[in-house]
Amino acid sequence: MTRHALPLLAAASLAACSAPRPAPAPDAGWAHYGGDAGGQRYSPAAQITPDNVAGLKPVWRFSTGDLASKGAAMKRAAFEVTPILAAGRLYLCSPFNEASAIDPETGKALWRFDPKLAPDIRYPNAYNCRGLAYWRNPAAPPAAPCAERIFMNTNDRRLFALDAATGRACAGFGAGGWVPAIPGVTLTRPGGAQITSPPVVVQGLVITGSSIDDNQKVDETPGAVHAFDAVTGALKWRFDPLDSARPGIRAGAANVWAPMSADEARGLVFLPTSSASPDFYGAARPGNGGHANSVVALHAATGQVAWAFQTTHHDVWDYDLPAQPTLATVTYRGVTAPAVIQTTKQGLVFTLNRDTGAPVIPVVERPVPQGGALGETLSPTQPFPVAPAALAPSRIAPQDAFGLTPWDRAACRRLLEGARNQGLYTPPTTRGTIIYPFTGGGSNWGGIAFDPGRQVVYANTSSALHKVTLIPADQVKAAQAAQPDLEISPNTGARYGMKRELLLSPLGLPCNPPPWGELSAIDMHDGRVLWRVPLGTTRDLAPGSQLFLRGTGTPNVGGPIVTRGGLVFIGAAMDNYLRAFDARSGKELWKGRLPAGGQATPMTYVWKGRQYVVIAAGGHSKSDTRRGDQLVAFALPD
């Protein structure tokens, strides 16, 4: 060591000793999948701020063990879980529904429960478990077994009740701790339906949705929602969103695959329903589809409809509601109301009165393109909120095609020139139709974050192009044989099958101009977009490309959270980072490297005076991001 190094080391040591440490903070939890039962994804934690967030470091990691134990099944897995903090423990589930409780300070495993899923089922949305639900039985003595319960939906359609303290199945719940979550349904193939999102618990009832395979047949599995007694597992009610449209239609689905929300005080549960089957051709289901594609408020005690608001009429674009309805108080143009904020794949944001379903921010019906396929009867109009402006683009001309080179761009231009393309709600046809935003676009299951003090919504969106082509039924098998690597589905019972393609250039980049992923802030007082920034880089998609592809963002899977400390945390992008943005300006202040793709929504909590930010880093089969099995916690130096 040189003599010149000694003063430098001394100065560094002095600086380290004198650096201010974060003051202990009051404990703050995250008891529900969305932070609270209304899905605001807001935390009052304020120890981590824009001034000190650059000091965040990994402090512990927890592994589910999937990389070592699941082998090839990991290729069909998506680690999308958001943990919850309840009863002094963090709870999470792996994509294979192995539930764990861990120490919130150290990440040490406390217990683990394995429902033993079959490892070789092809599920429509991969092996996936987004979260769990916690419930305290008010009638049980505090120390009684299963007085505190963790409820878990499984991919193979079971609802489990577990003792929150031990992880053991609650013997008095159904048959040894579980009940069929979609009772009375027989599937034509084992993976035709699954459950990916957590249940909700309200007024002593556990309420579950389902995820049903798209584009397989007209007479699809009904997308009913079920409510079970939280103590015994007894079925209490069933609600089918299509009941109001029968008779007169042949269809199934309209299921609730995204997370639900609950208002305990009002006794309401809020459902984001999906499209009726099949997605892209609706001749067998004339009319607007009952309560498909709707925010539906049910009376939790009975399952009766309190109100419903439809966001897409007679959906033939797979524009189902993909995100948890967010319950908030909104003051729009001076009028304050209890609200439900619902984002969509189209990049639209609907704000509805929580008690009546009437728009808080006005909605207008606008004419949309007509001329659907043979036998189709389209809605002449579709609903558009007057504010905020759409968060995702929906119009593209061939001359707008993107490419890194003239050759690349020309290839994309030809793809656009060959398809029908009249903007949002252009109906699918045998010619091929541009679906923009694509069916994974706009806002998705990660939902939004809402700052209740500032009344600001934070939303991440994706932008890409799908081309959907209807195929005469007698030509579907030949098309599948000719293009086995593409998504070609039969729509059994319909005049047409379908083909869905993501439009990429020969170099593998989206054919639409960037940004392909964004994070936006919206002031709900007037619907203004306060800022909008790209989200993500191409570093882990094509190493080195980020040097010349700047500001593109990437399509993203997962959602944001916001804190009283003035930060928005989000993973989601197709690079392996957790990021922190200044909630007021949108400036990216920090990013932490993850061991695998962070296609999940983070959470934050304060435990013993220290704030932690936690995210699942395990990648996603459909995004083909790096696989892993770790939960990673960040905190300021202690």
Side-chain angles (χ1 to χ4, degrees):
M1 182 180 295
T2 68
R3 60 177 181 156
H4 301 291
L6 292 173
L8 294 175
L9 286 174
S13 299
L14 181 62
C17 291
S18 61
R21 296 183 179 182
D27 285 353
W30 193 276
H32 301 266
Y33 165 80
D36 69 327
Q40 290 192 8
R41 294 175 185 80
Y42 169 81
S43 171
Q47 187 180 80
I48 305 170
T49 70
D51 292 333
N52 63 23
V53 68
L56 281 184
K57 301 292 182 186
V59 291
W60 57 254
R61 293 183 181 184
F62 168 80
S63 172
T64 65
D66 285 347
L67 276 179
S69 64
K70 295 301 183 290
M74 287 294 288
K75 295 180 180 179
R76 303 189 303 278
F79 198 18
E80 296 181 351
V81 70
T82 299
I84 58 174
L85 177 67
R89 306 172 190 89
L90 281 175
Y91 299 97
L92 72 149
C93 50
S94 80
F96 303 91
N97 296 117
E98 293 175 7
S100 296
I102 62 177
D103 186 290
E105 183 177 13
T106 66
K108 179 182 177 181
L110 301 175
W111 58 251
R112 178 174 171 271
F113 173 83
D114 185 357
K116 300 189 184 305
L117 300 189
D120 56 353
I121 303 297
R122 298 278 178 172
Y123 288 109
N125 288 293
Y127 286 95
N128 192 353
C129 179
R130 296 192 181 98
L132 306 169
Y134 166 84
W135 180 67
R136 171 75 172 86
N137 182 357
C146 290
E148 294 176 287
R149 300 183 176 206
I150 295 296
F151 291 103
M152 176 174 66
N153 292 321
T154 64
N155 288 277
D156 60 2
R157 304 169 305 284
R158 291 178 286 170
L159 170 64
F160 278 88
L162 307 177
D163 188 322
T166 66
R168 298 188 186 97
C170 296
F173 186 85
W178 67 272
V179 297
I182 313 178
V185 168
T186 301
L187 301 177
T188 55
R189 69 178 190 86
Q194 64 184 130
I195 308 179
T196 56
S197 292
V200 296
V201 189
V202 56
Q203 295 192 340
L205 297 175
V206 191
I207 301 170
T208 66
S210 62
S211 182
I212 296 173
D213 204 357
D214 291 341
N215 306 305
Q216 299 304 306
K217 55 185 178 179
V218 170
D219 299 305
E220 189 53 88
T221 301
V225 171
H226 296 85
F228 303 89
D229 186 285
V231 175
T232 67
L235 179 65
K236 291 299 185 180
W237 53 256
R238 175 185 183 275
F239 168 74
D240 185 340
L242 294 182
D243 277 350
S244 62
R246 307 185 198 276
I249 68 168
R250 287 178 56 211
N255 49 298
V256 179
W257 64 264
M260 295 173 278
S261 299
D263 187 325
E264 183 82 24
R266 286 176 168 81
L268 296 176
V269 60
F270 298 89
L271 318 180
T273 67
S274 69
S275 50
S277 62
D279 286 346
F280 298 104
Y281 182 66
R285 47 178 174 87
N288 284 348
H291 295 321
N293 301 89
S294 300
V295 182
V296 182
L298 299 182
H299 293 289
T302 63
Q304 297 299 306
V305 175
W307 57 260
F309 183 92
Q310 190 169 65
T311 60
T312 303
H313 307 321
H314 189 79
D315 182 14
V316 291
W317 305 273
D318 192 19
Y319 279 158
D320 48 8
L321 288 183
Q324 181 180 24
T326 296
L327 310 186
T329 298
V330 169
T331 302
Y332 179 71
R333 301 206 179 278
V335 178
T336 300
V340 181
I341 305 172
Q342 180 68 59
T343 54
T344 73
K345 292 180 177 180
Q346 300 95 302
L348 303 175
V349 181
F350 290 86
T351 308
L352 310 172
N353 185 290
R354 203 182 315 171
D355 292 317
T356 67
V360 172
I361 297 179
V363 174
V364 296
E365 292 281 339
R366 294 176 183 165
V368 293
Q370 298 294 292
L374 185 65
E376 188 70 85
T377 304
L378 301 169
S379 173
T381 63
Q382 293 290 347
F384 291 83
V386 300
L391 301 180
S394 59
R395 298 194 70 90
I396 186 169
Q399 60 267 29
D400 300 325
F402 175 80
L404 285 181
T405 67
W407 164 74
D408 209 33
R409 190 162 50 253
C412 282
R413 186 169 60 247
R414 287 193 295 273
L415 290 172
L416 288 168
E417 287 172 342
R420 186 175 176 187
N421 177 18
Q422 295 171 267
L424 191 61
Y425 299 117
T426 303
T429 61
T430 55
R431 172 184 170 187
T433 293
I434 299 299
I435 307 292
Y436 189 45
F438 75 133
T439 62
S443 181
N444 215 277
W445 59 261
I448 63 171
F450 180 80
D451 184 331
R454 299 179 58 222
Q455 294 198 23
V456 173
V457 160
Y458 299 92
N460 56 303
T461 51
S462 299
S463 182
L465 298 166
H466 267 145
K467 179 182 176 182
V468 170
T469 305
L470 297 182
I471 303 170
D474 60 357
Q475 299 176 25
V476 169
K477 288 186 177 180
Q480 291 172 327
Q483 297 180 299
D485 295 330
L486 291 182
E487 179 191 2
I488 300 176
S489 299
N491 290 348
T492 301
R495 186 189 301 268
Y496 301 103
M498 57 74 62
K499 175 171 65 175
R500 176 166 44 185
E501 307 167 80
L502 189 64
L503 293 193
L504 302 175
S505 76
L507 294 179
L509 295 172
C511 280
N512 55 298
W516 302 310
E518 293 183 290
L519 179 66
S520 301
I522 303 109
D523 187 338
M524 297 303 289
H525 293 97
D526 54 15
R528 287 181 303 124
V529 176
L530 300 175
W531 51 258
R532 181 177 291 176
V533 296
L535 176 61
T537 70
T538 57
R539 169 179 172 171
D540 292 303
L541 292 174
S545 63
Q546 75 275 12
L547 299 177
F548 55 89
L549 279 174
R550 296 181 179 274
T552 63
T554 70
N556 47 87
V557 181
I561 66 172
V562 62
T563 71
R564 191 170 63 85
L567 294 167
V568 178
F569 290 96
I570 187 169
M574 295 176 70
D575 53 10
N576 304 332
Y577 288 104
L578 173 66
R579 290 177 164 85
F581 293 83
D582 187 306
R584 290 190 175 272
S585 69
K587 181 180 180 181
E588 184 180 313
L589 301 176
W590 169 86
K591 61 183 178 182
R593 189 69 172 158
L594 300 174
Q599 284 74 53
T601 302
M603 54 87 76
T604 187
Y605 60 92
V606 179
W607 182 258
K608 296 181 180 179
R610 192 180 193 189
Q611 185 180 353
Y612 298 81
V613 183
V614 177
I615 189 169
H620 195 284
S621 62
K622 291 188 176 182
S623 301
D624 200 24
T625 44
R626 184 185 301 169
R627 303 301 196 280
D629 63 4
Q630 292 189 341
L631 194 70
V632 183
F634 295 87
L636 296 171
D638 186 9

